[in-house]
Amino acid sequence: MHLLIIGYVWPEPNSSAAGSRMMQLLNCFHKNQWQISFASPAQQTEHMSDLSLLGITSDHIDLNDASFDEYIADKKPGIVIFDRFMMEEQFGWRVEKFSPDSLRVLNTEDLHSLRQARHLALKQNREFQLEDLYSDHGIREIAAIHRCDLTLMISETETQLLMDEFQIPETHLLHLPFMLDAPNDMSTLPTFEEREHFISIGNFRHAPNWDAVLQLKTEIWPKIRKRLPNTELHIYGAYPPPKATQLHNAKEGFLVKGWAEDAKAVMQNARICLAPLRFGAGIKGKLVEAMQMGTPSITTPIGSESMHGNLPWNGVVADNNDTFVDAAVSLYEDKRSWELMQQNGNRILEYRYQAAQWESVLTKRLIVQNQLKSSLRKKHFLGLMLRHHSLKSTQYMSQWIELKNKLTEK
């Protein structure tokens, strides 16, 4: 099997959950000894993974440029995975035209339109409503999902939302959470007594993470610090802007550390992980990482969404700041409860995120979906209609931009 992934960015597993997720997918395909190519129009970065270690070829591709037509026609991959809907919009029509037999798969990471809609509702100081998804962004994303043969969904909540609200056929969706190694033996990790302080971690370029940092700075940490005056909050994350580093205040115990070379190492030395997420989507890599390192977490309903099923959380899910503060202080001082929450996290990992289970699910589904793609395409009339109309408009816009760029160069 030859598989091509068209990436929105190059994978950075130490910078974001999306980067970790992409590497999980690549490792799964590598184990199956599939031929893998990764192509992206993005600039390479200092934190990106060296894909050559997995025998993956890396190619730069240009937006709005016919050079991709020859590229995809030459490769003719059995499967093309668009990493996020913007890549499907840009390259989907070219794949369909020049490699029509390729299975077209969309990897969403999370529903971007849901995250944006929740953010808008928060800024307007009101509750989120389903109608908030009927935005230009939402229409574009849902259309891309309809156009693809299969969409990988990391969240059960979002998978159900797509079927109930937007008539995406179940045959075109695959719920696929993080695919992780077996949980750590908790006895090998630092104990309650060996840990100290609080931690918050997340890429600063991700709006929900930046909002959480501001919540900690202004609403939450001052109250925790007043009750636990000898504690510190260590804030880690890739790409901290000046507005973030300026929040650093040693006297307040609010320490903005920035990039963590080894995120798991700093996580396992903290006693509690704080994640006061007020909006977002998908499932949260930082909270999974906390479970892996035996670090109980205090978060919100948004933070824990679709992450633990019917299993008890590895800490406390708080729906307001006062409850959040009380839970953080109480759990920080209560060894017995702390160890119970640690065990809860290990159980969630064991029952919901085992790579051995999910890698098999993904591989088998891709093979079957590829075999049935012709009949499934014919049955999904809405997808056919959207490809006919939307891809034509996208094609002509792209070709117009390409021609304009050539005229500008002259």
Side-chain angles (χ1 to χ4, degrees):
M1 180 74 76
H2 181 196
L3 186 145
L4 169 66
I5 297 178
I6 302 177
Y8 180 65
V9 294
W10 296 95
E12 293 187 18
N14 293 327
S15 298
S16 68
S20 296
R21 159 74 157 190
M22 178 52 68
M23 291 309 300
Q24 291 164 18
L25 295 175
L26 292 173
N27 277 305
C28 174
F29 303 143
H30 177 68
K31 289 177 184 177
N32 283 281
Q33 298 183 325
W34 290 356
Q35 180 185 349
I36 310 167
S37 301
F38 193 101
S40 177
Q43 295 293 321
Q44 297 192 354
T45 66
E46 59 179 320
H47 300 314
M48 62 181 283
S49 290
D50 184 356
L51 300 182
S52 66
L53 297 177
L54 293 176
I56 298 172
T57 59
S58 298
D59 300 310
H60 177 80
I61 50 178
D62 292 317
L63 299 172
N64 304 305
D65 196 293
S67 60
F68 181 84
D69 302 344
E70 184 177 344
Y71 174 82
I72 191 71
D74 180 59
K75 284 190 176 291
K76 283 192 168 51
I79 299 173
V80 175
I81 297 181
F82 304 103
D83 181 34
R84 303 174 225 196
F85 80 90
M86 296 80 81
M87 294 297 95
E88 189 279 337
E89 282 185 328
Q90 176 65 220
F91 296 102
W93 69 270
R94 294 184 185 274
V95 172
E96 181 166 6
K97 185 173 183 179
F98 295 97
S99 187
D101 292 331
S102 298
L103 184 76
R104 297 184 291 273
V105 180
L106 178 60
N107 178 46
T108 58
E109 303 295 350
D110 63 11
L111 273 182
H112 292 56
S113 52
L114 177 61
R115 171 163 32 95
Q116 287 198 349
R118 284 172 167 170
H119 193 187
L120 177 64
L122 178 66
K123 288 190 287 188
Q124 295 178 349
N125 196 30
R126 61 174 177 80
E127 293 294 319
F128 162 76
Q129 301 173 348
L130 282 176
E131 288 77 10
D132 293 329
L133 290 169
Y134 303 164
S135 62
D136 287 346
H137 201 90
I139 292 169
R140 289 170 54 199
E141 184 167 33
I142 301 304
I145 292 171
H146 273 294
R147 287 193 295 262
C148 286
D149 297 310
L150 182 67
T151 296
L152 308 182
M153 297 300 302
I154 206 165
S155 160
E156 291 165 307
T157 299
E158 293 167 22
T159 305
Q160 197 64 46
L161 174 67
L162 289 175
M163 290 190 290
D164 294 344
E165 189 68 18
F166 298 107
Q167 294 75 52
I168 308 293
E170 188 174 3
T171 53
H172 286 60
L173 296 171
L174 174 61
H175 168 237
L176 186 76
F178 291 133
M179 300 180 286
L180 307 173
D181 294 333
N184 288 315
D185 179 355
M186 292 296 133
S187 66
T188 64
L189 297 172
T191 64
F192 177 86
E193 292 84 3
E194 292 170 335
R195 298 173 184 239
E196 61 178 351
H197 304 314
F198 295 85
I199 187 173
S200 182
I201 190 166
N203 190 318
F204 283 95
R205 290 178 176 173
H206 193 52
N209 293 337
W210 172 237
D211 179 76
V213 170
L214 293 177
Q215 284 294 299
L216 288 167
K217 176 69 175 181
T218 61
E219 304 293 333
I220 295 174
W221 180 246
K223 297 177 181 178
I224 295 176
R225 174 78 168 185
K226 186 175 181 180
R227 294 165 63 176
L228 297 172
N230 294 321
T231 59
E232 298 172 353
L233 173 58
H234 297 178
I235 296 179
Y236 291 91
Y239 306 108
K243 64 181 180 180
T245 55
Q246 288 168 5
L247 298 179
H248 180 95
N249 190 315
K251 290 183 179 180
E252 297 175 356
F254 194 90
L255 309 180
V256 180
K257 301 271 189 173
W259 168 259
E261 195 67 38
D262 187 339
K264 291 185 176 180
V266 296
M267 180 65 77
Q268 74 173 14
N269 289 321
R271 191 175 289 180
I272 303 287
C273 174
L274 303 180
L277 297 163
R278 299 196 297 168
F279 66 97
I283 58 178
K284 315 305 181 292
K286 63 178 72 62
L287 296 177
V288 165
E289 208 161 68
M291 295 179 202
Q292 290 177 306
M293 295 299 102
T295 307
S297 58
I298 315 296
T299 191
T300 62
I302 289 289
S304 65
E305 184 178 82
S306 287
M307 290 199 63
H308 60 113
N310 295 322
L311 297 171
W313 186 247
N314 76 314
V316 178
V317 178
D319 59 5
N320 62 71
N321 286 344
D322 288 339
T323 303
F324 195 102
V325 170
D326 289 342
V329 172
S330 175
L331 196 55
Y332 191 87
E333 298 182 308
D334 188 343
K335 177 182 177 180
R336 185 174 179 182
S337 294
W338 186 90
E339 291 177 340
L340 174 62
M341 299 306 175
Q342 188 183 66
Q343 293 169 17
N344 287 349
N346 223 35
R347 197 171 297 114
I348 293 170
L349 293 174
E350 182 179 355
Y351 285 100
R352 292 183 63 85
Y353 298 107
Q354 290 282 323
Q357 171 195 353
W358 289 108
E359 286 177 349
S360 176
V361 169
L362 173 60
T363 302
K364 291 178 181 178
R365 181 63 181 275
L366 287 175
I367 292 172
V368 170
Q369 203 81 7
N370 200 24
Q371 293 169 342
L372 299 177
K373 64 176 179 286
S374 295
S375 61
L376 289 175
R377 286 174 182 174
K378 292 176 183 176
K379 290 178 182 178
H380 186 30
F381 182 79
L382 185 54
L384 288 171
M385 183 173 63
L386 284 169
R387 290 210 312 276
H388 176 78
H389 289 287
S390 300
L391 289 186
K392 286 298 182 185
S393 61
T394 305
Q395 173 184 342
Y396 295 145
M397 174 60 76
S398 180
Q399 290 175 333
W400 179 80
I401 294 173
E402 181 182 0
L403 179 60
K404 182 181 177 183
N405 290 339
K406 289 180 179 177
L407 291 173
T408 302
E409 290 172 3
K410 292 179 181 180

